[in-house]
Amino acid sequence: MNKREGAMQLPRLEVAGVDAWLVRLFDDIDDANMPWIMALLRRCEESFGEALIDLVPSYTTLLVHYDPLQLTPGEARSRLAMLLADLDPGEDGDQGEGTSDNVKELQVWYDDSVGPELSLLQEHSGLSREAVIEAHSGQEYHVFALGFAPGFAFMGSLPKELVLPRLDTPRKRVPAGSVAVANRQTSAYPRISPGGWNLIGRTSARLFDRERDGFSLLRVGDRVRFVAVDRDRFEKAGGDTTPAEERGPNASRKNS
C-alpha cells in the first residue's frame, strides 16, 4: 500500500471490541485519504459478505464490525490483512474522484441574518464578502464522516484562509440548514440542534428525511459543492429565512 506519494502510512489493525477491528490507514487528515478508505470499504463488503454487520468510515480509519458467530477475531484480521496487501484506490472507476456529474450541489444563501459569523470570517481572512463566499463555494468538498446528529456530514478541507476555530460557547439552538465552518471543516446542520460551529449561511436542502432511503442526503465518500443563491431563489426553494441566534458580545472562541 505505497502507490500514493506523500502522506501514506502503513495501515494498522487495532482491536475495537470482540466483534470489530479498526483499520487505521492514515495518521493525518487529508482529502487524498478518501479514495483509499472507500476502496477498502468496497473490498470489505465483497469479502465479508453476510458476516459483515457494519462499516464506519472516518477521516483516517475504517471500523469493521462483523458477526462473531461467523468469524473469529483472528479470521477477520487475516481477511483484512489480505485486503490491505494490494489495496488500490484506482481499482474501479468510483473512488470519490468521479466526474462533476457525481457532485451533489447544495444551494446556500450567504447572509448575516442566517450566518452571523460571515462578517467575522471576512475580518479573520482579510477578504471581501464576495471573496469569502467565492472561496467557500468555489471548490468541491469530500464527505469524510457522518455524526454528531443524523445527517450531519463532516466535509473538508476548507481553504486555509477560511479556517476559523469553533465557538467556545456553543449556541443552544442552531436552525436547520445552517451552513457552518470550524477549523478545516465545513458542514450544514440537518435539524435544529445545539452547535458551536461558525454560521455563514443557510441551505434549503433537506439533509435528513426519514422517508428517504438511508435518511441522509449526504453519504461518506460523496463530493459536495455549495452554490451561492440570492434570497429570492432561496425562499422559492423552500429555505427558512428566520434569523439565527447571535453569538452575543461575551462569547469567546476555542483556539483549536
Side-chain angles (χ1 to χ4, degrees):
M1 186 176 169
N2 56 5
K3 298 183 180 181
R4 181 169 69 84
E5 296 180 0
M8 177 61 66
Q9 294 98 19
L10 292 177
R12 299 191 297 274
L13 293 170
E14 303 172 5
V15 176
V18 296
D19 57 356
W21 284 97
L22 182 71
V23 186
R24 188 172 301 280
L25 288 92
F26 303 91
D27 290 324
D28 303 314
I29 295 174
D30 193 305
D31 289 350
N33 295 355
M34 187 52 61
W36 294 90
I37 292 171
M38 296 308 294
L40 180 59
L41 182 148
R42 278 182 282 272
R43 280 197 164 197
C44 287
E45 289 176 335
E46 296 172 358
S47 178
F48 281 75
E50 293 183 356
L52 184 66
I53 294 178
D54 197 13
L55 293 166
V56 184
S58 73
Y59 289 97
T60 57
T61 65
L62 178 67
L63 179 67
V64 182
H65 184 197
Y66 58 90
D67 184 353
L69 298 179
Q70 299 188 52
L71 290 174
T72 67
E75 289 171 337
R77 190 186 193 285
S78 296
R79 192 166 299 192
L80 286 169
M82 287 194 304
L83 297 180
L84 289 165
D86 60 347
L87 186 65
D88 181 359
E91 59 194 8
D92 64 53
D94 183 17
Q95 301 295 338
E97 298 291 340
T99 66
S100 59
D101 292 339
N102 297 323
V103 177
K104 292 183 177 178
E105 295 188 342
L106 303 181
Q107 293 187 1
V108 180
W109 177 41
Y110 295 92
D111 189 82
D112 288 314
S113 64
V114 292
E117 279 78 66
L118 184 58
S119 58
L120 182 63
L121 187 56
Q122 182 182 344
E123 295 173 10
H124 179 80
S125 65
L127 299 174
S128 67
R129 175 66 54 90
E130 293 73 18
V132 167
I133 294 172
E134 183 177 350
H136 185 261
S137 62
Q139 69 171 60
E140 294 174 5
Y141 300 93
H142 284 95
V143 177
F144 284 101
L146 296 176
F148 166 66
F152 188 95
F154 292 88
M155 292 178 270
S157 298
L158 276 174
K160 291 183 179 180
E161 59 269 24
L162 300 186
V163 173
L164 199 61
R166 290 178 296 133
L167 301 177
D168 186 43
T169 305
R171 289 182 170 85
K172 295 180 179 179
R173 186 182 185 279
V174 176
S178 294
V179 174
V181 299
N183 299 313
R184 294 298 305 278
Q185 304 171 102
T186 188
S187 191
Y189 286 79
R191 307 176 74 176
I192 297 173
S193 68
W197 290 31
N198 301 279
L199 308 187
I200 62 172
R202 192 173 296 169
T203 180
S204 55
R206 193 174 183 85
L207 300 164
F208 181 81
D209 188 345
R210 295 186 182 278
E211 303 300 320
R212 180 189 293 123
D213 182 29
F215 302 146
S216 178
L217 174 65
L218 304 178
R219 302 188 182 189
V220 173
D222 281 351
R223 292 154 60 227
V224 178
R225 181 182 292 276
F226 296 98
V227 179
V229 298
D230 59 22
R231 176 171 180 151
D232 183 59
R233 186 173 173 186
F234 176 73
E235 287 186 295
K236 286 181 178 178
D240 179 11
T241 60
T242 304
E245 173 188 314
E246 294 289 346
R247 283 192 306 127
N250 297 320
S252 57
R253 319 185 62 78
K254 286 185 178 295
N255 295 320
S256 60

Coordinates of all heavy atoms in Angstrom, one line a residue, residues 20-63:
A20 N -15.1 -6.4 16.3 CA -14.8 -5.3 15.4 C -13.2 -5.1 15.4 O -12.5 -5.2 16.4 CB -15.5 -4.0 15.9
W21 N -12.8 -4.6 14.2 CA -11.4 -4.2 14.0 C -11.4 -2.8 13.5 O -12.3 -2.4 12.7 CB -10.7 -5.1 13.1 CG -10.2 -6.4 13.6 CD1 -10.9 -7.6 13.5 CD2 -9.1 -6.7 14.4 NE1 -10.2 -8.6 14.1 CE2 -9.1 -8.0 14.7 CE3 -8.0 -5.9 14.9 CZ2 -8.1 -8.7 15.4 CZ3 -7.0 -6.5 15.6 CH2 -7.0 -7.9 15.9
L22 N -10.5 -1.9 14.0 CA -10.4 -0.6 13.5 C -9.2 -0.6 12.6 O -8.0 -0.9 13.0 CB -10.2 0.4 14.6 CG -10.1 1.9 14.1 CD1 -11.4 2.4 13.6 CD2 -9.6 2.8 15.3
V23 N -9.4 -0.3 11.3 CA -8.2 -0.2 10.4 C -7.8 1.2 10.2 O -8.6 2.1 9.8 CB -8.6 -0.7 9.0 CG1 -7.4 -0.8 8.0 CG2 -9.3 -2.1 9.1
R24 N -6.6 1.5 10.7 CA -6.1 2.9 10.7 C -5.2 3.0 9.5 O -4.0 2.5 9.5 CB -5.4 3.2 12.0 CG -5.0 4.7 12.1 CD -4.4 5.1 13.4 NE -5.3 4.8 14.5 CZ -6.4 5.6 14.8 NH1 -6.5 6.7 14.2 NH2 -7.2 5.3 15.8
L25 N -5.7 3.6 8.4 CA -4.9 3.8 7.2 C -4.0 5.0 7.2 O -3.0 5.0 6.5 CB -5.9 3.8 6.0 CG -6.6 2.5 5.6 CD1 -7.9 2.5 6.3 CD2 -6.8 2.4 4.1
F26 N -4.4 6.0 7.9 CA -3.6 7.2 7.9 C -3.6 7.8 9.3 O -4.4 7.5 10.2 CB -4.2 8.3 7.0 CG -4.4 7.8 5.6 CD1 -5.6 7.2 5.2 CD2 -3.4 8.0 4.7 CE1 -5.7 6.8 3.9 CE2 -3.5 7.6 3.4 CZ -4.7 7.0 3.0
D27 N -2.6 8.6 9.6 CA -2.5 9.4 10.8 C -3.0 10.8 10.7 O -3.4 11.4 11.7 CB -1.0 9.4 11.4 CG -0.6 8.0 11.8 OD1 -1.4 7.3 12.4 OD2 0.6 7.6 11.6
D28 N -2.9 11.3 9.5 CA -3.3 12.7 9.3 C -4.5 12.8 8.3 O -4.6 12.1 7.4 CB -2.1 13.5 8.6 CG -0.8 13.4 9.4 OD1 -0.9 13.6 10.7 OD2 0.3 13.1 8.9
I29 N -5.3 13.9 8.6 CA -6.5 14.1 7.8 C -6.0 14.8 6.5 O -5.2 15.7 6.4 CB -7.4 15.1 8.5 CG1 -8.0 14.4 9.7 CG2 -8.5 15.5 7.6 CD1 -8.9 15.3 10.6
D30 N -6.5 14.2 5.4 CA -6.1 14.7 4.0 C -7.2 14.3 3.1 O -7.8 13.2 3.1 CB -4.8 14.0 3.6 CG -4.1 14.7 2.4 OD1 -4.8 14.8 1.4 OD2 -3.0 15.1 2.5
D31 N -7.5 15.2 2.1 CA -8.5 14.9 1.1 C -8.2 13.7 0.3 O -9.1 13.0 -0.1 CB -8.6 16.1 0.1 CG -9.3 17.3 0.8 OD1 -9.8 17.2 1.9 OD2 -9.2 18.4 0.2
A32 N -6.9 13.4 0.1 CA -6.5 12.3 -0.7 C -6.7 10.9 0.0 O -6.5 9.9 -0.6 CB -5.0 12.4 -1.1
N33 N -7.1 10.9 1.3 CA -7.3 9.7 2.0 C -8.6 9.0 1.6 O -8.6 7.7 1.6 CB -7.5 10.0 3.5 CG -6.3 10.5 4.2 OD1 -5.2 10.7 3.6 ND2 -6.4 10.9 5.5
M34 N -9.6 9.7 1.2 CA -10.9 9.2 0.9 C -10.9 8.1 -0.1 O -11.6 7.0 0.1 CB -11.9 10.3 0.5 CG -13.3 9.8 0.4 SD -13.9 8.9 1.9 CE -13.7 10.2 3.1
P35 N -10.2 8.2 -1.3 CA -10.2 7.1 -2.2 C -9.7 5.7 -1.7 O -10.3 4.7 -2.0 CB -9.3 7.5 -3.4 CG -9.4 9.0 -3.3 CD -9.5 9.3 -1.8
W36 N -8.7 5.8 -0.8 CA -8.2 4.6 -0.2 C -9.2 4.0 0.8 O -9.4 2.7 0.8 CB -6.9 4.9 0.6 CG -5.8 5.3 -0.3 CD1 -5.5 6.5 -0.7 CD2 -4.8 4.4 -0.9 NE1 -4.4 6.5 -1.6 CE2 -3.9 5.2 -1.7 CE3 -4.6 3.0 -0.9 CZ2 -2.9 4.7 -2.4 CZ3 -3.5 2.5 -1.6 CH2 -2.7 3.3 -2.3
I37 N -9.8 4.8 1.6 CA -10.8 4.3 2.6 C -12.0 3.7 1.9 O -12.5 2.7 2.3 CB -11.2 5.5 3.5 CG1 -10.0 5.9 4.4 CG2 -12.4 5.1 4.4 CD1 -10.2 7.1 5.2
M38 N -12.5 4.4 0.8 CA -13.6 3.9 0.1 C -13.3 2.6 -0.6 O -14.2 1.7 -0.8 CB -14.2 4.9 -0.8 CG -14.7 6.2 -0.1 SD -15.9 5.8 1.2 CE -17.3 5.1 0.2
A39 N -12.1 2.5 -1.1 CA -11.7 1.2 -1.8 C -11.7 0.1 -0.8 O -12.1 -1.0 -1.1 CB -10.3 1.4 -2.4
L40 N -11.2 0.3 0.4 CA -11.2 -0.8 1.4 C -12.6 -1.1 1.8 O -13.0 -2.3 2.0 CB -10.4 -0.3 2.6 CG -10.3 -1.4 3.8 CD1 -9.7 -2.7 3.3 CD2 -9.5 -0.8 5.0
L41 N -13.5 -0.1 1.9 CA -14.9 -0.3 2.3 C -15.5 -1.2 1.3 O -16.2 -2.2 1.7 CB -15.6 1.0 2.4 CG -17.1 1.0 2.8 CD1 -17.4 2.3 3.5 CD2 -18.0 0.9 1.6
R42 N -15.3 -1.0 0.0 CA -16.0 -1.8 -1.0 C -15.4 -3.3 -1.0 O -16.1 -4.2 -1.1 CB -15.8 -1.2 -2.4 CG -16.8 -0.1 -2.7 CD -16.6 0.4 -4.1 NE -15.5 1.4 -4.1 CZ -15.6 2.7 -3.9 NH1 -16.8 3.2 -3.5 NH2 -14.6 3.5 -3.9
R43 N -14.1 -3.4 -0.7 CA -13.5 -4.7 -0.6 C -14.1 -5.5 0.6 O -14.3 -6.7 0.5 CB -12.0 -4.6 -0.5 CG -11.3 -4.3 -1.8 CD -9.8 -4.6 -1.7 NE -9.2 -4.7 -3.0 CZ -8.0 -5.3 -3.2 NH1 -7.3 -5.7 -2.1 NH2 -7.5 -5.4 -4.4
C44 N -14.3 -4.8 1.7 CA -14.8 -5.4 2.9 C -16.2 -5.9 2.6 O -16.6 -7.0 3.0 CB -14.8 -4.5 4.1 SG -13.2 -4.2 4.8
E45 N -17.0 -5.1 1.9 CA -18.4 -5.5 1.6 C -18.4 -6.8 0.8 O -19.2 -7.7 1.0 CB -19.1 -4.4 0.8 CG -19.4 -3.2 1.6 CD -20.0 -2.1 0.7 OE1 -19.7 -2.0 -0.5 OE2 -20.7 -1.2 1.3
E46 N -17.5 -6.9 -0.2 CA -17.4 -8.1 -1.0 C -16.8 -9.3 -0.3 O -17.3 -10.5 -0.4 CB -16.5 -7.8 -2.3 CG -17.1 -6.8 -3.2 CD -16.1 -6.4 -4.3 OE1 -14.9 -6.9 -4.2 OE2 -16.4 -5.5 -5.1
S47 N -15.8 -9.1 0.5 CA -15.1 -10.2 1.2 C -15.9 -10.8 2.4 O -15.9 -12.0 2.6 CB -13.7 -9.7 1.6 OG -13.0 -10.8 2.3
F48 N -16.4 -9.9 3.2 CA -17.1 -10.4 4.4 C -18.5 -10.9 4.2 O -19.0 -11.7 4.9 CB -17.1 -9.2 5.5 CG -15.8 -9.0 6.2 CD1 -14.7 -8.4 5.6 CD2 -15.6 -9.5 7.5 CE1 -13.5 -8.3 6.2 CE2 -14.4 -9.3 8.2 CZ -13.4 -8.7 7.5
G49 N -19.1 -10.4 3.1 CA -20.5 -10.9 2.8 C -21.5 -10.8 3.9 O -21.6 -9.8 4.6
E50 N -22.1 -11.9 4.2 CA -23.2 -12.0 5.3 C -22.6 -11.9 6.7 O -23.3 -11.6 7.6 CB -24.0 -13.3 5.1 CG -24.8 -13.3 3.9 CD -25.6 -14.6 3.8 OE1 -25.5 -15.4 4.7 OE2 -26.4 -14.8 2.9
A51 N -21.3 -12.0 6.8 CA -20.6 -11.9 8.1 C -20.4 -10.5 8.5 O -20.1 -10.2 9.7 CB -19.3 -12.7 8.1
L52 N -20.6 -9.6 7.6 CA -20.4 -8.1 7.8 C -21.7 -7.5 8.5 O -22.8 -7.7 8.0 CB -20.1 -7.4 6.5 CG -19.8 -5.9 6.7 CD1 -18.5 -5.7 7.4 CD2 -19.7 -5.3 5.3
I53 N -21.5 -6.8 9.6 CA -22.6 -6.2 10.3 C -22.6 -4.7 9.9 O -23.7 -4.1 9.6 CB -22.5 -6.3 11.8 CG1 -22.7 -7.8 12.2 CG2 -23.5 -5.5 12.5 CD1 -22.5 -8.1 13.7
D54 N -21.5 -4.0 10.0 CA -21.4 -2.6 9.7 C -20.0 -2.1 9.3 O -19.0 -2.8 9.7 CB -21.9 -1.8 10.9 CG -22.3 -0.4 10.5 OD1 -22.5 -0.1 9.3 OD2 -22.5 0.4 11.5
L55 N -19.9 -1.1 8.5 CA -18.7 -0.4 8.2 C -18.8 1.1 8.5 O -19.8 1.7 8.1 CB -18.3 -0.6 6.7 CG -18.0 -2.0 6.3 CD1 -18.0 -2.1 4.7 CD2 -16.7 -2.5 6.8
V56 N -17.9 1.6 9.3 CA -18.0 3.0 9.7 C -16.7 3.7 9.3 O -15.7 3.6 10.0 CB -18.2 3.2 11.2 CG1 -18.4 4.7 11.5 CG2 -19.4 2.4 11.6
P57 N -16.7 4.4 8.1 CA -15.5 5.2 7.7 C -15.4 6.5 8.4 O -16.4 7.1 8.9 CB -15.8 5.4 6.2 CG -17.3 5.4 6.1 CD -17.8 4.5 7.2
S58 N -14.2 7.0 8.5 CA -14.0 8.4 9.1 C -12.8 9.0 8.3 O -12.5 8.5 7.2 CB -13.6 8.3 10.5 OG -12.3 7.8 10.7
Y59 N -12.3 10.1 8.8 CA -11.2 10.8 8.1 C -10.0 9.9 7.8 O -9.4 10.1 6.8 CB -10.7 12.0 9.0 CG -11.7 13.1 9.1 CD1 -12.6 13.2 10.2 CD2 -11.8 14.1 8.1 CE1 -13.4 14.3 10.3 CE2 -12.6 15.2 8.2 CZ -13.5 15.2 9.3 OH -14.4 16.3 9.4
T60 N -9.7 9.1 8.8 CA -8.4 8.3 8.6 C -8.6 6.8 8.9 O -7.6 6.1 8.7 CB -7.4 8.8 9.7 OG1 -7.9 8.7 11.0 CG2 -7.0 10.3 9.4
T61 N -9.7 6.4 9.2 CA -9.9 5.0 9.6 C -11.2 4.3 9.0 O -12.1 5.0 8.5 CB -10.1 4.8 11.2 OG1 -11.3 5.5 11.6 CG2 -8.9 5.4 11.9
L62 N -11.3 3.0 9.1 CA -12.5 2.3 8.8 C -12.7 1.3 9.9 O -11.9 0.4 10.2 CB -12.3 1.6 7.4 CG -13.5 0.7 7.0 CD1 -14.7 1.6 6.7 CD2 -13.2 -0.2 5.8
L63 N -13.9 1.4 10.5 CA -14.3 0.4 11.6 C -15.0 -0.7 10.9 O -16.0 -0.5 10.2 CB -15.2 1.1 12.6 CG -15.7 0.2 13.8 CD1 -14.5 -0.3 14.6 CD2 -16.7 0.9 14.6

